[in-house]
Amino acid sequence: MPPPRPAAPRSGRAGVCPGPGRRRARRGFRRPLAATRSGVSGHPTPPRVVVVGATGTIGTALLRRLSGGPYAGAVTGLSRRPPGATPPGTRWRHADITAATADELAALFDGAEAVVHLACLFQPSHRPRVTWRTNCVGAARVFDAVAAAGVPVLVHASSLVAYSPAPKDQAIDESWPTHAWPTAAYPREKAYAERLLDAFEARNPGVRTVRMRPSVVVSDESPAHQRRMFAGPLLPRVRPPRPLRLVPKLPGLRFQVTHAEDIAEAFALALTRPVSGPFNLAAGPVADPEMLARATGGRAVPLPYRPVRAAVSAAWRLRLVPTSPYMLDAVTTFPVMDTGRAERELGWRPRRPADETVAAFARGLARGAGGDTPPLRGRRPGGRAGEIAAGPGERE
């Protein structure tokens, strides 16, 4: 079944950004909208950088990074929920990109030097229309708003998952096709957002547009969030003894992992350096079953793919786990990315080796580590019983 088509943004159709002949956002549009149906609130003075989706794994790391750099005191984070702790000098505004119009978002972008678009939704995998509204319709509205507000720089968070399958024995550069794995919702939506960005760049050549394609990203604050997002409430709370720490050695299970602080550094560099286009972002070494076993103190056990996929499929259909069998298929097709362009043009090199990042993540997972923002909190209301009642993988 093909994915549902995105509804057209109320200020223009999806993927089409206002050109010279179209109406721009009104510069005087300042009325607070917190109580309106869109839930957008205005700000009294223009920010220099607006971060859309600033409460997630990359967003929290990026706000910390920007709070100590040239944009200190001039960063606004947009979030659909109250964010909790705030880095020094960061302002927050309420905005839901699935409900706000492009004109309302443009009012929040008015006067900004750059917009960083990080908002995305991985779950609920059983309701792809929900993720489509954020990852595709919401992205189109953000792009339209950037053009309408005349923002000169757009940095968009794409992903490794947007890439088409590739041989595992060679690293691909940014010219590799971005058609994704077609049966998994999140990769398909990230690839569609790349097409929206293609249209945006064609219609707005004066906007310096950067698209980041990070690997799997984790942080010291993300274990509880990512446990809820990928494994669900039935994952044991206590790490098993070493002889029982088994890592499935599946065909094609080979991907890259990077710490959020290193990814945030790349985004910060893209704001200050005159670069454009796509950048692969990943740390080494590559995460294969042997590396994962070493990092977690376990052992890799060869398993046939079909029985494992059948078990994941049954658990997903019974709503015992949030990860679909289609996403498992996608993971085994992830390419290994070459990061040479980011090193040459951004001067970016990750400081944290991937195996150390994985080991720290495993330790954080055992203790339920989380952060201060709603998506990263260590415990959701009701604990794991509340997760079961809501359904594994439901939108948090």
Side-chain angles (χ1 to χ4, degrees):
M1 177 181 178
R5 296 178 62 189
R10 279 164 277 183
S11 67
R13 64 186 186 278
V16 178
C17 303
R22 301 187 67 189
R23 181 171 62 87
R24 294 173 60 86
R26 288 178 288 123
R27 293 287 180 178
F29 184 47
R30 293 294 188 193
R31 63 186 179 87
L33 298 173
T36 69
R37 58 181 172 83
S38 66
V40 178
S41 63
H43 51 69
T45 57
R48 294 182 64 196
V49 176
V50 178
V51 180
V52 182
T55 58
T57 303
I58 298 176
T60 52
L62 180 59
L63 292 187
R64 281 195 297 269
R65 171 63 179 79
L66 296 179
S67 68
Y71 295 107
V75 178
T76 292
L78 298 191
S79 172
R80 62 186 176 88
R81 292 172 292 183
T86 300
T90 302
R91 297 175 295 183
W92 287 95
R93 297 294 176 261
H94 168 66
D96 184 342
I97 63 173
T98 67
T101 66
D103 281 345
E104 290 168 339
L105 291 173
L108 295 178
F109 299 166
D110 191 16
E113 296 177 9
V115 168
V116 180
H117 178 49
L118 303 176
C120 65
L121 201 60
F122 191 88
Q123 297 288 357
S125 58
H126 282 281
R127 295 190 290 146
R129 281 183 172 83
V130 175
T131 57
W132 183 266
R133 282 199 298 271
T134 293
N135 299 333
C136 299
V137 179
R141 289 176 179 161
V142 170
F143 301 160
D144 282 349
V146 166
V151 180
V153 178
L154 169 63
V155 182
H156 169 67
S158 184
S159 173
L160 156 73
V161 306
Y163 277 122
S164 302
K168 295 284 187 172
D169 59 352
Q170 66 182 59
I172 58 129
D173 66 15
E174 290 83 356
S175 65
W176 194 260
T178 51
H179 302 310
W181 183 258
T183 58
Y186 185 70
R188 186 173 62 229
E189 291 157 7
K190 279 298 189 182
Y192 187 90
E194 291 254 357
R195 304 291 77 76
L196 293 174
L197 202 58
D198 292 342
F200 171 86
E201 287 187 286
R203 293 176 177 273
N204 299 276
V207 178
R208 182 169 70 84
T209 304
V210 183
R211 59 184 86 189
M212 299 299 206
R213 295 174 183 156
S215 69
V216 174
V217 181
V218 300
S219 75
D220 299 341
E221 302 165 302
S222 71
H225 166 60
Q226 288 172 321
R227 189 270 303 163
R228 292 190 294 266
M229 191 164 56
F230 296 113
L234 301 183
L235 186 73
R237 299 172 187 269
V238 180
R239 294 178 75 181
R242 285 181 179 270
L244 299 180
R245 293 180 194 172
L246 306 180
V247 176
K249 190 174 182 179
L250 298 175
L253 187 61
R254 192 166 188 264
F255 56 95
Q256 290 158 297
V257 180
T258 315
H259 197 283
E261 300 291 340
D262 285 322
I263 297 297
E265 177 65 20
F267 275 80
L269 290 169
L271 289 172
T272 58
R273 301 203 175 191
V275 298
S276 61
F279 289 91
N280 292 340
L281 304 175
V286 173
D288 57 17
E290 287 75 17
M291 184 273 250
L292 295 173
R294 289 193 303 271
T296 59
R299 58 193 176 97
V301 178
L303 293 175
Y305 187 74
R306 286 188 177 182
V308 172
R309 188 189 189 282
V312 171
S313 178
W316 180 72
R317 294 181 192 283
L318 291 171
R319 298 181 183 266
L320 299 177
V321 297
T323 298
S324 74
Y326 314 113
M327 194 63 212
L328 180 64
D329 294 338
V331 169
T332 61
T333 71
F334 286 170
V336 174
M337 298 186 296
D338 178 271
T339 60
R341 183 168 190 246
E343 294 171 8
R344 291 189 303 272
E345 299 188 25
L346 290 175
W348 178 80
R349 288 182 182 273
R351 293 186 300 159
R352 299 162 181 81
D355 50 356
E356 293 181 11
T357 296
V358 170
F361 179 82
R363 293 191 295 270
L365 194 63
R367 65 177 187 273
D372 296 320
T373 64
L376 298 183
R377 58 192 170 190
R379 184 179 184 274
R380 65 174 292 169
R384 296 205 183 196
E387 292 179 45
I388 294 171
E394 278 299 306
R395 182 177 184 178
E396 295 191 70

